[in-house]
């Protein structure tokens, strides 16, 4: 069996599965890592010392999560004293290393590493550590860390910068990592000014290292004045991509030549910086912004060697920000296309209708979920909920094609839902891009004797939920068949029920219920219980509260919902 990954270990921990029990030592914390360096068990004392729960530790890379330099900076793996015994499977010990607590402060530790058994056929290492009495690291050595960096250290930092910054495709997360790499290792202030899509300037980050933690000064962030074309001031030149500069507050004491120079003078006054590097952040094709690193509490001015190092860091940050912006732009395009395709709900006399669409929380997860509702030829209303397999722009494009084809087939002439799905299935298999999708197609019909009938067929989609006026709930599981695009030709069946008076019907995509930590049975049960308690709430409120109370916190999929209530 393949070894479980970090997400699976965290899920097992949440479910109470802890395969390796660690005993407690009086003052020392212990944790166990596997041969990949991921934490697979942790003691209660270690949780206390680190200020982190087991859920926050299990399945995480111990080096990336915990190991820091004496100034709080990330430590390149090549400089980590604990890596050698871990890699070689030997024992080792050290008198002073730094771990980062959950609140961002530093824990000075002495440590011991020894190999041990991590399960059948697997090896690992046991790490024993305890807090060491030492002075505050921010006051322990007055010189800045960059002043004592060797050429090898600088190369290691640049390698770590590349690895760390390219690991994220979100602009905000990339900026947080950039601050973490530079503060307090190189400076105690980090400022990032970004050029917007319309060539304006936004001060995205002003961060300060104080008492072992990084504090963000949001009062100094926000929109900035425009960049003058001919200004010789350091920030203006960096934002135009001209050059990097060593500067200080004296540069901005002269009469300012622009609004952005006034803002920069206020920055030096508010931060107390006595020395700064201001360098362009260049992307692949154009300047992305500017990085300012400043020293206020750290003694010593920046040197030319420091400036060259900061330029290299900013160059790597520019490539990472370029990629993140491109990815977010792709997401916005897909979301805009999705929202334009999502329809205005038709008016059906006596019937309440409501719909919701919630995009995926991460830029890397653009999905193909959709809902639809439209009048049918000859009377009645078509109700559609669907989900194209995948989480990218191709899925969103496939959704657009399938949604339009289904509308065309169902609106051409009156046929059973199963017949429409069979025709749609054949069309999907002939699409140029290989596509699979799940969909429910239902017809809402009002009979002459005042009854409301629902006739539907289901192609591999989660079943609709019926919520009766008295709070009873049931899933409509009849009429279920395989999803579209498999190449199979199943005999699809239709199902029909009479909707009880005052009942609500909920169509939804799997983003509402799927969770890595819980089985589908548990998730469906939570949906039923929550919906039963909301049976008498207005339909809009019911939809909002279901999204709030049912959607799992660990779900990174988008969600589409379509709900109706009959008189």
């Amino acid at each position: 069996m393949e070894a479980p990954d970090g997400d699976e270990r965290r899920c097992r921990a949440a479910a109470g599965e802890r395969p390796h029990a660690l005993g407690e030592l009086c003052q020392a914390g212990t944790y166990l890592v596997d041969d990949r360096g991921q934490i697979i068990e942790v003691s209660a004392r270690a949780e206390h010392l680190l200020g982190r729960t087991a859920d926050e530790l299990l399945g995480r890379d111990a080096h990336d999560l915990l190991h820091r330099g004496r100034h709080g900076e990330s430590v390149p793996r090549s400089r980590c004293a604990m890596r050698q015994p871990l890699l070689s499977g030997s024992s080792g010990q050290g008198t002073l290393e730094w771990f980062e607590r959950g609140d961002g402060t530093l824990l000075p530790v002495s440590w011991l590493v020894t190999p041990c058994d991590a399960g059948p056929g697997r090896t690992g290492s046991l790490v024993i550590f305890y807090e060491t009495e030492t002075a505050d690291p921010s006051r322990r050595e007055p010189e800045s860390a960059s002043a004592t960096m060797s050429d090898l250290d600088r190369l290691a930092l640049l390698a770590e910068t590349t690895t760390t910054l390219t690991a994220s495709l979100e602009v905000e997360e990339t900026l947080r990592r950039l601050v973490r790499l530079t503060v307090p290792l190189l400076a105690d202030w980090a400022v990032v000014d970004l050029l917007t899509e319309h060539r304006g300037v936004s001060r995205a980050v002003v961060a300060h290292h104080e008492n072992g933690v990084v504090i963000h000064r949001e009062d100094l962030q926000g929109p900035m004045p425009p960049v003058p074309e001919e200004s010789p001031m350091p920030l203006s030149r960096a934002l135009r991509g001209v050059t990097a500069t060593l500067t200080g507050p004296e540069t901005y004491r002269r009469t300012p030549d622009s609004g952005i120079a006034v803002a920069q003078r206020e920055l030096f006054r508010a931060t107390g910086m006595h020395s700064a590097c201001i360098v362009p952040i260049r992307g692949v094709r154009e300047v992305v912004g500017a990085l300012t690193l400043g020293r206020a509490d750290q003694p010593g001015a920046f040197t030319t060697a420091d400036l060259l190092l900061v330029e290299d860091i900013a160059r790597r940050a520019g490539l990472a920000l370029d990629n993140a912006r491109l990815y977010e732009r792709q997401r916005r395009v897909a979301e805009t296309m999705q929202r334009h395709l999502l329809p205005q709900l038709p008016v059906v006399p006596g019937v309440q209708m409501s719909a919701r669409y919630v995009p995926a929380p991460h830029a890397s997860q653009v999905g193909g979920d959709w809902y639809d509702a439209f009048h049918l030829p000859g009377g009645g209303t078509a109700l559609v909920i669907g989900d194209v397999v995948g989480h990218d722009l191709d899925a969103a494009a496939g959704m657009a094609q399938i949604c339009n084809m289904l509308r065309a087939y169902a609106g051409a002439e009156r046929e059973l839902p199963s017949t429409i799905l069979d025709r749609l299935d054949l069309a999907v298999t002939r699409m140029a891009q290989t596509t699979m999708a799940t969909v429910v197609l239902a017809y809402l019909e009002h009979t002459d004797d005042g009854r409301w009938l629902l006739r539907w067929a289901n192609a591999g989609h989660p079943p609709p939920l019926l919520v009766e006026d008295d709070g009873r709930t049931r899933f409509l599981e009849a009429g279920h068949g395989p999803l579209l695009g498999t190449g199979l030709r199943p005999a699809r069946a239709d199902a029909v029920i009479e909707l009880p008076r005052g009942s609500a019907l909920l169509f939804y995509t799997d983003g509402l219920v799927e969770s890595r930590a819980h089985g589908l049975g548990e998730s469906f049960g939570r949906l039923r219980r929550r919906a039963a308690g909301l049976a008498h709430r207005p339909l809009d409120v019911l939809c909002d509260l279901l999204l709030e109370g049912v959607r799992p916190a660990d779900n990174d999929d988008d969600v589409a919902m379509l709900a109706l209530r009959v008189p």
Side-chain angles (χ1 to χ4, degrees), residues 440 456 458 461-466 474-478 480 506-508 524 527:
V440 175
W456 78 95
N458 187 335
H461 199 81
L465 178 65
L466 179 65
R474 57 186 166 117
F475 289 107
L476 305 184
E477 298 181 301
H480 204 280
L506 178 69
F507 300 87
Y508 54 94
F524 281 130
L527 174 59

mmCIF file with all atom_site columns, all heavy atoms in Angstrom, residues 440 456 458 461-466 474-478 480 506-508 524 527:
data_model
loop_
_atom_site.group_PDB
_atom_site.id
_atom_site.type_symbol
_atom_site.label_atom_id
_atom_site.label_alt_id
_atom_site.label_comp_id
_atom_site.label_asym_id
_atom_site.label_entity_id
_atom_site.label_seq_id
_atom_site.pdbx_PDB_ins_code
_atom_site.Cartn_x
_atom_site.Cartn_y
_atom_site.Cartn_z
_atom_site.occupancy
_atom_site.B_iso_or_equiv
_atom_site.pdbx_formal_charge
_atom_site.auth_seq_id
_atom_site.auth_comp_id
_atom_site.auth_asym_id
_atom_site.auth_atom_id
_atom_site.pdbx_PDB_model_num
ATOM 1   N N   . VAL A 1 440 ? -28.388 16.727 -13.811 1.00 0.00 ? 440 VAL A N   1
ATOM 2   C CA  . VAL A 1 440 ? -29.776 16.366 -13.565 1.00 0.00 ? 440 VAL A CA  1
ATOM 3   C C   . VAL A 1 440 ? -30.635 17.285 -14.418 1.00 0.00 ? 440 VAL A C   1
ATOM 4   O O   . VAL A 1 440 ? -30.494 18.515 -14.353 1.00 0.00 ? 440 VAL A O   1
ATOM 5   C CB  . VAL A 1 440 ? -30.164 16.526 -12.084 1.00 0.00 ? 440 VAL A CB  1
ATOM 6   C CG1 . VAL A 1 440 ? -31.657 16.257 -11.891 1.00 0.00 ? 440 VAL A CG1 1
ATOM 7   C CG2 . VAL A 1 440 ? -29.355 15.584 -11.206 1.00 0.00 ? 440 VAL A CG2 1
ATOM 8   N N   . TRP A 1 456 ? -37.840 13.685 -13.933 1.00 0.00 ? 456 TRP A N   1
ATOM 9   C CA  . TRP A 1 456 ? -36.416 13.930 -14.078 1.00 0.00 ? 456 TRP A CA  1
ATOM 10  C C   . TRP A 1 456 ? -35.645 12.694 -14.485 1.00 0.00 ? 456 TRP A C   1
ATOM 11  O O   . TRP A 1 456 ? -36.135 11.561 -14.367 1.00 0.00 ? 456 TRP A O   1
ATOM 12  C CB  . TRP A 1 456 ? -35.839 14.474 -12.772 1.00 0.00 ? 456 TRP A CB  1
ATOM 13  C CG  . TRP A 1 456 ? -35.584 13.438 -11.690 1.00 0.00 ? 456 TRP A CG  1
ATOM 14  C CD1 . TRP A 1 456 ? -34.427 12.807 -11.423 1.00 0.00 ? 456 TRP A CD1 1
ATOM 15  C CD2 . TRP A 1 456 ? -36.541 12.902 -10.758 1.00 0.00 ? 456 TRP A CD2 1
ATOM 16  N NE1 . TRP A 1 456 ? -34.574 11.927 -10.380 1.00 0.00 ? 456 TRP A NE1 1
ATOM 17  C CE2 . TRP A 1 456 ? -35.864 11.976 -9.952  1.00 0.00 ? 456 TRP A CE2 1
ATOM 18  C CE3 . TRP A 1 456 ? -37.902 13.136 -10.528 1.00 0.00 ? 456 TRP A CE3 1
ATOM 19  C CZ2 . TRP A 1 456 ? -36.505 11.254 -8.937  1.00 0.00 ? 456 TRP A CZ2 1
ATOM 20  C CZ3 . TRP A 1 456 ? -38.545 12.432 -9.523  1.00 0.00 ? 456 TRP A CZ3 1
ATOM 21  C CH2 . TRP A 1 456 ? -37.849 11.504 -8.735  1.00 0.00 ? 456 TRP A CH2 1
ATOM 22  N N   . ASN A 1 458 ? -31.260 11.488 -14.210 1.00 0.00 ? 458 ASN A N   1
ATOM 23  C CA  . ASN A 1 458 ? -30.010 11.875 -13.552 1.00 0.00 ? 458 ASN A CA  1
ATOM 24  C C   . ASN A 1 458 ? -28.838 11.151 -14.208 1.00 0.00 ? 458 ASN A C   1
ATOM 25  O O   . ASN A 1 458 ? -28.822 9.922  -14.289 1.00 0.00 ? 458 ASN A O   1
ATOM 26  C CB  . ASN A 1 458 ? -30.081 11.520 -12.052 1.00 0.00 ? 458 ASN A CB  1
ATOM 27  C CG  . ASN A 1 458 ? -28.894 12.040 -11.259 1.00 0.00 ? 458 ASN A CG  1
ATOM 28  O OD1 . ASN A 1 458 ? -27.820 12.255 -11.794 1.00 0.00 ? 458 ASN A OD1 1
ATOM 29  N ND2 . ASN A 1 458 ? -29.106 12.238 -9.966  1.00 0.00 ? 458 ASN A ND2 1
ATOM 30  N N   . HIS A 1 461 ? -25.167 12.483 -11.166 1.00 0.00 ? 461 HIS A N   1
ATOM 31  C CA  . HIS A 1 461 ? -25.074 13.664 -10.312 1.00 0.00 ? 461 HIS A CA  1
ATOM 32  C C   . HIS A 1 461 ? -25.614 13.346 -8.913  1.00 0.00 ? 461 HIS A C   1
ATOM 33  O O   . HIS A 1 461 ? -26.452 12.455 -8.744  1.00 0.00 ? 461 HIS A O   1
ATOM 34  C CB  . HIS A 1 461 ? -25.886 14.807 -10.929 1.00 0.00 ? 461 HIS A CB  1
ATOM 35  C CG  . HIS A 1 461 ? -25.507 16.151 -10.407 1.00 0.00 ? 461 HIS A CG  1
ATOM 36  N ND1 . HIS A 1 461 ? -24.427 16.846 -10.874 1.00 0.00 ? 461 HIS A ND1 1
ATOM 37  C CD2 . HIS A 1 461 ? -26.069 16.928 -9.452  1.00 0.00 ? 461 HIS A CD2 1
ATOM 38  C CE1 . HIS A 1 461 ? -24.331 17.991 -10.240 1.00 0.00 ? 461 HIS A CE1 1
ATOM 39  N NE2 . HIS A 1 461 ? -25.313 18.066 -9.362  1.00 0.00 ? 461 HIS A NE2 1
ATOM 40  N N   . PRO A 1 462 ? -25.148 14.065 -7.862  1.00 0.00 ? 462 PRO A N   1
ATOM 41  C CA  . PRO A 1 462 ? -25.745 13.891 -6.536  1.00 0.00 ? 462 PRO A CA  1
ATOM 42  C C   . PRO A 1 462 ? -27.260 14.099 -6.598  1.00 0.00 ? 462 PRO A C   1
ATOM 43  O O   . PRO A 1 462 ? -27.733 15.016 -7.279  1.00 0.00 ? 462 PRO A O   1
ATOM 44  C CB  . PRO A 1 462 ? -25.069 14.984 -5.698  1.00 0.00 ? 462 PRO A CB  1
ATOM 45  C CG  . PRO A 1 462 ? -23.757 15.199 -6.363  1.00 0.00 ? 462 PRO A CG  1
ATOM 46  C CD  . PRO A 1 462 ? -24.014 15.011 -7.822  1.00 0.00 ? 462 PRO A CD  1
ATOM 47  N N   . PRO A 1 463 ? -28.038 13.279 -5.894  1.00 0.00 ? 463 PRO A N   1
ATOM 48  C CA  . PRO A 1 463 ? -29.497 13.327 -6.036  1.00 0.00 ? 463 PRO A CA  1
ATOM 49  C C   . PRO A 1 463 ? -30.087 14.599 -5.446  1.00 0.00 ? 463 PRO A C   1
ATOM 50  O O   . PRO A 1 463 ? -29.614 15.107 -4.422  1.00 0.00 ? 463 PRO A O   1
ATOM 51  C CB  . PRO A 1 463 ? -29.966 12.093 -5.248  1.00 0.00 ? 463 PRO A CB  1
ATOM 52  C CG  . PRO A 1 463 ? -28.876 11.869 -4.244  1.00 0.00 ? 463 PRO A CG  1
ATOM 53  C CD  . PRO A 1 463 ? -27.606 12.246 -4.926  1.00 0.00 ? 463 PRO A CD  1
ATOM 54  N N   . PRO A 1 464 ? -31.134 15.159 -6.063  1.00 0.00 ? 464 PRO A N   1
ATOM 55  C CA  . PRO A 1 464 ? -31.824 16.315 -5.480  1.00 0.00 ? 464 PRO A CA  1
ATOM 56  C C   . PRO A 1 464 ? -32.406 15.958 -4.112  1.00 0.00 ? 464 PRO A C   1
ATOM 57  O O   . PRO A 1 464 ? -32.683 14.786 -3.814  1.00 0.00 ? 464 PRO A O   1
ATOM 58  C CB  . PRO A 1 464 ? -32.937 16.612 -6.494  1.00 0.00 ? 464 PRO A CB  1
ATOM 59  C CG  . PRO A 1 464 ? -32.498 15.956 -7.763  1.00 0.00 ? 464 PRO A CG  1
ATOM 60  C CD  . PRO A 1 464 ? -31.718 14.751 -7.353  1.00 0.00 ? 464 PRO A CD  1
ATOM 61  N N   . LEU A 1 465 ? -32.571 16.966 -3.275  1.00 0.00 ? 465 LEU A N   1
ATOM 62  C CA  . LEU A 1 465 ? -33.107 16.775 -1.929  1.00 0.00 ? 465 LEU A CA  1
ATOM 63  C C   . LEU A 1 465 ? -34.484 17.421 -1.835  1.00 0.00 ? 465 LEU A C   1
ATOM 64  O O   . LEU A 1 465 ? -34.642 18.615 -2.121  1.00 0.00 ? 465 LEU A O   1
ATOM 65  C CB  . LEU A 1 465 ? -32.174 17.407 -0.896  1.00 0.00 ? 465 LEU A CB  1
ATOM 66  C CG  . LEU A 1 465 ? -32.648 17.331 0.571   1.00 0.00 ? 465 LEU A CG  1
ATOM 67  C CD1 . LEU A 1 465 ? -32.704 15.879 1.051   1.00 0.00 ? 465 LEU A CD1 1
ATOM 68  C CD2 . LEU A 1 465 ? -31.741 18.160 1.484   1.00 0.00 ? 465 LEU A CD2 1
ATOM 69  N N   . LEU A 1 466 ? -35.481 16.637 -1.434  1.00 0.00 ? 466 LEU A N   1
ATOM 70  C CA  . LEU A 1 466 ? -36.841 17.134 -1.224  1.00 0.00 ? 466 LEU A CA  1
ATOM 71  C C   . LEU A 1 466 ? -37.032 17.418 0.261   1.00 0.00 ? 466 LEU A C   1
ATOM 72  O O   . LEU A 1 466 ? -36.773 16.559 1.106   1.00 0.00 ? 466 LEU A O   1
ATOM 73  C CB  . LEU A 1 466 ? -37.867 16.100 -1.702  1.00 0.00 ? 466 LEU A CB  1
ATOM 74  C CG  . LEU A 1 466 ? -39.340 16.479 -1.525  1.00 0.00 ? 466 LEU A CG  1
ATOM 75  C CD1 . LEU A 1 466 ? -39.700 17.686 -2.379  1.00 0.00 ? 466 LEU A CD1 1
ATOM 76  C CD2 . LEU A 1 466 ? -40.249 15.289 -1.851  1.00 0.00 ? 466 LEU A CD2 1
ATOM 77  N N   . ARG A 1 474 ? -35.956 13.737 2.005   1.00 0.00 ? 474 ARG A N   1
ATOM 78  C CA  . ARG A 1 474 ? -35.528 12.512 1.310   1.00 0.00 ? 474 ARG A CA  1
ATOM 79  C C   . ARG A 1 474 ? -34.830 12.898 0.021   1.00 0.00 ? 474 ARG A C   1
ATOM 80  O O   . ARG A 1 474 ? -35.146 13.918 -0.612  1.00 0.00 ? 474 ARG A O   1
ATOM 81  C CB  . ARG A 1 474 ? -36.696 11.576 1.026   1.00 0.00 ? 474 ARG A CB  1
ATOM 82  C CG  . ARG A 1 474 ? -37.834 12.182 0.224   1.00 0.00 ? 474 ARG A CG  1
ATOM 83  C CD  . ARG A 1 474 ? -38.996 11.206 0.144   1.00 0.00 ? 474 ARG A CD  1
ATOM 84  N NE  . ARG A 1 474 ? -40.219 11.803 -0.323  1.00 0.00 ? 474 ARG A NE  1
ATOM 85  C CZ  . ARG A 1 474 ? -40.838 11.451 -1.450  1.00 0.00 ? 474 ARG A CZ  1
ATOM 86  N NH1 . ARG A 1 474 ? -40.333 10.496 -2.210  1.00 0.00 ? 474 ARG A NH1 1
ATOM 87  N NH2 . ARG A 1 474 ? -41.963 12.039 -1.809  1.00 0.00 ? 474 ARG A NH2 1
ATOM 88  N N   . PHE A 1 475 ? -33.840 12.073 -0.353  1.00 0.00 ? 475 PHE A N   1
ATOM 89  C CA  . PHE A 1 475 ? -33.139 12.270 -1.610  1.00 0.00 ? 475 PHE A CA  1
ATOM 90  C C   . PHE A 1 475 ? -33.912 11.570 -2.732  1.00 0.00 ? 475 PHE A C   1
ATOM 91  O O   . PHE A 1 475 ? -34.427 10.461 -2.556  1.00 0.00 ? 475 PHE A O   1
ATOM 92  C CB  . PHE A 1 475 ? -31.720 11.705 -1.540  1.00 0.00 ? 475 PHE A CB  1
ATOM 93  C CG  . PHE A 1 475 ? -30.802 12.504 -0.656  1.00 0.00 ? 475 PHE A CG  1
ATOM 94  C CD1 . PHE A 1 475 ? -30.404 12.021 0.589   1.00 0.00 ? 475 PHE A CD1 1
ATOM 95  C CD2 . PHE A 1 475 ? -30.340 13.740 -1.071  1.00 0.00 ? 475 PHE A CD2 1
ATOM 96  C CE1 . PHE A 1 475 ? -29.560 12.757 1.394   1.00 0.00 ? 475 PHE A CE1 1
ATOM 97  C CE2 . PHE A 1 475 ? -29.497 14.488 -0.261  1.00 0.00 ? 475 PHE A CE2 1
ATOM 98  C CZ  . PHE A 1 475 ? -29.104 13.994 0.973   1.00 0.00 ? 475 PHE A CZ  1
ATOM 99  N N   . LEU A 1 476 ? -33.979 12.212 -3.884  1.00 0.00 ? 476 LEU A N   1
ATOM 100 C CA  . LEU A 1 476 ? -34.657 11.646 -5.047  1.00 0.00 ? 476 LEU A CA  1
ATOM 101 C C   . LEU A 1 476 ? -33.634 10.837 -5.840  1.00 0.00 ? 476 LEU A C   1
ATOM 102 O O   . LEU A 1 476 ? -32.963 11.347 -6.746  1.00 0.00 ? 476 LEU A O   1
ATOM 103 C CB  . LEU A 1 476 ? -35.262 12.762 -5.892  1.00 0.00 ? 476 LEU A CB  1
ATOM 104 C CG  . LEU A 1 476 ? -36.212 13.717 -5.154  1.00 0.00 ? 476 LEU A CG  1
ATOM 105 C CD1 . LEU A 1 476 ? -36.812 14.722 -6.127  1.00 0.00 ? 476 LEU A CD1 1
ATOM 106 C CD2 . LEU A 1 476 ? -37.319 12.942 -4.431  1.00 0.00 ? 476 LEU A CD2 1
ATOM 107 N N   . GLU A 1 477 ? -33.507 9.576  -5.469  1.00 0.00 ? 477 GLU A N   1
ATOM 108 C CA  . GLU A 1 477 ? -32.433 8.744  -6.017  1.00 0.00 ? 477 GLU A CA  1
ATOM 109 C C   . GLU A 1 477 ? -32.860 7.928  -7.218  1.00 0.00 ? 477 GLU A C   1
ATOM 110 O O   . GLU A 1 477 ? -32.019 7.266  -7.845  1.00 0.00 ? 477 GLU A O   1
ATOM 111 C CB  . GLU A 1 477 ? -31.904 7.815  -4.923  1.00 0.00 ? 477 GLU A CB  1
ATOM 112 C CG  . GLU A 1 477 ? -31.292 8.588  -3.756  1.00 0.00 ? 477 GLU A CG  1
ATOM 113 C CD  . GLU A 1 477 ? -30.737 7.697  -2.664  1.00 0.00 ? 477 GLU A CD  1
ATOM 114 O OE1 . GLU A 1 477 ? -31.511 6.907  -2.107  1.00 0.00 ? 477 GLU A OE1 1
ATOM 115 O OE2 . GLU A 1 477 ? -29.530 7.810  -2.394  1.00 0.00 ? 477 GLU A OE2 1
ATOM 116 N N   . ALA A 1 478 ? -34.134 7.950  -7.569  1.00 0.00 ? 478 ALA A N   1
ATOM 117 C CA  . ALA A 1 478 ? -34.595 7.224  -8.760  1.00 0.00 ? 478 ALA A CA  1
ATOM 118 C C   . ALA A 1 478 ? -34.102 7.936  -10.018 1.00 0.00 ? 478 ALA A C   1
ATOM 119 O O   . ALA A 1 478 ? -33.664 9.081  -9.980  1.00 0.00 ? 478 ALA A O   1
ATOM 120 C CB  . ALA A 1 478 ? -36.118 7.138  -8.757  1.00 0.00 ? 478 ALA A CB  1
ATOM 121 N N   . HIS A 1 480 ? -31.506 7.333  -11.796 1.00 0.00 ? 480 HIS A N   1
ATOM 122 C CA  . HIS A 1 480 ? -30.057 7.573  -11.773 1.00 0.00 ? 480 HIS A CA  1
ATOM 123 C C   . HIS A 1 480 ? -29.355 6.719  -12.815 1.00 0.00 ? 480 HIS A C   1
ATOM 124 O O   . HIS A 1 480 ? -29.634 5.526  -12.957 1.00 0.00 ? 480 HIS A O   1
ATOM 125 C CB  . HIS A 1 480 ? -29.489 7.268  -10.390 1.00 0.00 ? 480 HIS A CB  1
ATOM 126 C CG  . HIS A 1 480 ? -28.218 7.973  -10.094 1.00 0.00 ? 480 HIS A CG  1
ATOM 127 N ND1 . HIS A 1 480 ? -27.009 7.539  -10.551 1.00 0.00 ? 480 HIS A ND1 1
ATOM 128 C CD2 . HIS A 1 480 ? -27.959 9.110  -9.406  1.00 0.00 ? 480 HIS A CD2 1
ATOM 129 C CE1 . HIS A 1 480 ? -26.050 8.352  -10.151 1.00 0.00 ? 480 HIS A CE1 1
ATOM 130 N NE2 . HIS A 1 480 ? -26.603 9.330  -9.446  1.00 0.00 ? 480 HIS A NE2 1
ATOM 131 N N   . LEU A 1 506 ? -34.154 20.984 -3.615  1.00 0.00 ? 506 LEU A N   1
ATOM 132 C CA  . LEU A 1 506 ? -32.797 21.532 -3.703  1.00 0.00 ? 506 LEU A CA  1
ATOM 133 C C   . LEU A 1 506 ? -31.967 20.708 -4.680  1.00 0.00 ? 506 LEU A C   1
ATOM 134 O O   . LEU A 1 506 ? -31.786 19.505 -4.501  1.00 0.00 ? 506 LEU A O   1
ATOM 135 C CB  . LEU A 1 506 ? -32.131 21.521 -2.325  1.00 0.00 ? 506 LEU A CB  1
ATOM 136 C CG  . LEU A 1 506 ? -30.690 22.024 -2.281  1.00 0.00 ? 506 LEU A CG  1
ATOM 137 C CD1 . LEU A 1 506 ? -30.641 23.515 -2.555  1.00 0.00 ? 506 LEU A CD1 1
ATOM 138 C CD2 . LEU A 1 506 ? -30.040 21.697 -0.935  1.00 0.00 ? 506 LEU A CD2 1
ATOM 139 N N   . PHE A 1 507 ? -31.463 21.384 -5.728  1.00 0.00 ? 507 PHE A N   1
ATOM 140 C CA  . PHE A 1 507 ? -30.466 20.814 -6.625  1.00 0.00 ? 507 PHE A CA  1
ATOM 141 C C   . PHE A 1 507 ? -29.119 21.451 -6.264  1.00 0.00 ? 507 PHE A C   1
ATOM 142 O O   . PHE A 1 507 ? -29.049 22.654 -6.021  1.00 0.00 ? 507 PHE A O   1
ATOM 143 C CB  . PHE A 1 507 ? -30.795 21.128 -8.089  1.00 0.00 ? 507 PHE A CB  1
ATOM 144 C CG  . PHE A 1 507 ? -32.120 20.599 -8.568  1.00 0.00 ? 507 PHE A CG  1
ATOM 145 C CD1 . PHE A 1 507 ? -33.283 21.344 -8.390  1.00 0.00 ? 507 PHE A CD1 1
ATOM 146 C CD2 . PHE A 1 507 ? -32.206 19.381 -9.213  1.00 0.00 ? 507 PHE A CD2 1
ATOM 147 C CE1 . PHE A 1 507 ? -34.503 20.879 -8.836  1.00 0.00 ? 507 PHE A CE1 1
ATOM 148 C CE2 . PHE A 1 507 ? -33.436 18.904 -9.671  1.00 0.00 ? 507 PHE A CE2 1
ATOM 149 C CZ  . PHE A 1 507 ? -34.584 19.656 -9.471  1.00 0.00 ? 507 PHE A CZ  1
ATOM 150 N N   . TYR A 1 508 ? -28.017 20.684 -6.284  1.00 0.00 ? 508 TYR A N   1
ATOM 151 C CA  . TYR A 1 508 ? -26.725 21.187 -5.816  1.00 0.00 ? 508 TYR A CA  1
ATOM 152 C C   . TYR A 1 508 ? -25.612 20.395 -6.487  1.00 0.00 ? 508 TYR A C   1
ATOM 153 O O   . TYR A 1 508 ? -25.830 19.282 -7.002  1.00 0.00 ? 508 TYR A O   1
ATOM 154 C CB  . TYR A 1 508 ? -26.609 21.035 -4.293  1.00 0.00 ? 508 TYR A CB  1
ATOM 155 C CG  . TYR A 1 508 ? -26.871 19.617 -3.841  1.00 0.00 ? 508 TYR A CG  1
ATOM 156 C CD1 . TYR A 1 508 ? -25.822 18.715 -3.671  1.00 0.00 ? 508 TYR A CD1 1
ATOM 157 C CD2 . TYR A 1 508 ? -28.174 19.149 -3.644  1.00 0.00 ? 508 TYR A CD2 1
ATOM 158 C CE1 . TYR A 1 508 ? -26.060 17.396 -3.310  1.00 0.00 ? 508 TYR A CE1 1
ATOM 159 C CE2 . TYR A 1 508 ? -28.426 17.833 -3.292  1.00 0.00 ? 508 TYR A CE2 1
ATOM 160 C CZ  . TYR A 1 508 ? -27.367 16.972 -3.121  1.00 0.00 ? 508 TYR A CZ  1
ATOM 161 O OH  . TYR A 1 508 ? -27.611 15.657 -2.783  1.00 0.00 ? 508 TYR A OH  1
ATOM 162 N N   . PHE A 1 524 ? -23.936 13.739 3.380   1.00 0.00 ? 524 PHE A N   1
ATOM 163 C CA  . PHE A 1 524 ? -25.342 13.775 2.981   1.00 0.00 ? 524 PHE A CA  1
ATOM 164 C C   . PHE A 1 524 ? -26.257 13.838 4.209   1.00 0.00 ? 524 PHE A C   1
ATOM 165 O O   . PHE A 1 524 ? -27.288 14.512 4.197   1.00 0.00 ? 524 PHE A O   1
ATOM 166 C CB  . PHE A 1 524 ? -25.693 12.545 2.135   1.00 0.00 ? 524 PHE A CB  1
ATOM 167 C CG  . PHE A 1 524 ? -25.239 12.649 0.706   1.00 0.00 ? 524 PHE A CG  1
ATOM 168 C CD1 . PHE A 1 524 ? -24.527 11.629 0.104   1.00 0.00 ? 524 PHE A CD1 1
ATOM 169 C CD2 . PHE A 1 524 ? -25.552 13.772 -0.045  1.00 0.00 ? 524 PHE A CD2 1
ATOM 170 C CE1 . PHE A 1 524 ? -24.114 11.725 -1.216  1.00 0.00 ? 524 PHE A CE1 1
ATOM 171 C CE2 . PHE A 1 524 ? -25.148 13.880 -1.370  1.00 0.00 ? 524 PHE A CE2 1
ATOM 172 C CZ  . PHE A 1 524 ? -24.421 12.851 -1.962  1.00 0.00 ? 524 PHE A CZ  1
ATOM 173 N N   . LEU A 1 527 ? -26.359 17.368 5.402   1.00 0.00 ? 527 LEU A N   1
ATOM 174 C CA  . LEU A 1 527 ? -27.222 18.179 4.532   1.00 0.00 ? 527 LEU A CA  1
ATOM 175 C C   . LEU A 1 527 ? -28.695 17.967 4.863   1.00 0.00 ? 527 LEU A C   1
ATOM 176 O O   . LEU A 1 527 ? -29.468 18.928 4.959   1.00 0.00 ? 527 LEU A O   1
ATOM 177 C CB  . LEU A 1 527 ? -26.940 17.821 3.064   1.00 0.00 ? 527 LEU A CB  1
ATOM 178 C CG  . LEU A 1 527 ? -27.859 18.472 2.027   1.00 0.00 ? 527 LEU A CG  1
ATOM 179 C CD1 . LEU A 1 527 ? -27.798 19.991 2.111   1.00 0.00 ? 527 LEU A CD1 1
ATOM 180 C CD2 . LEU A 1 527 ? -27.493 17.988 0.623   1.00 0.00 ? 527 LEU A CD2 1
#
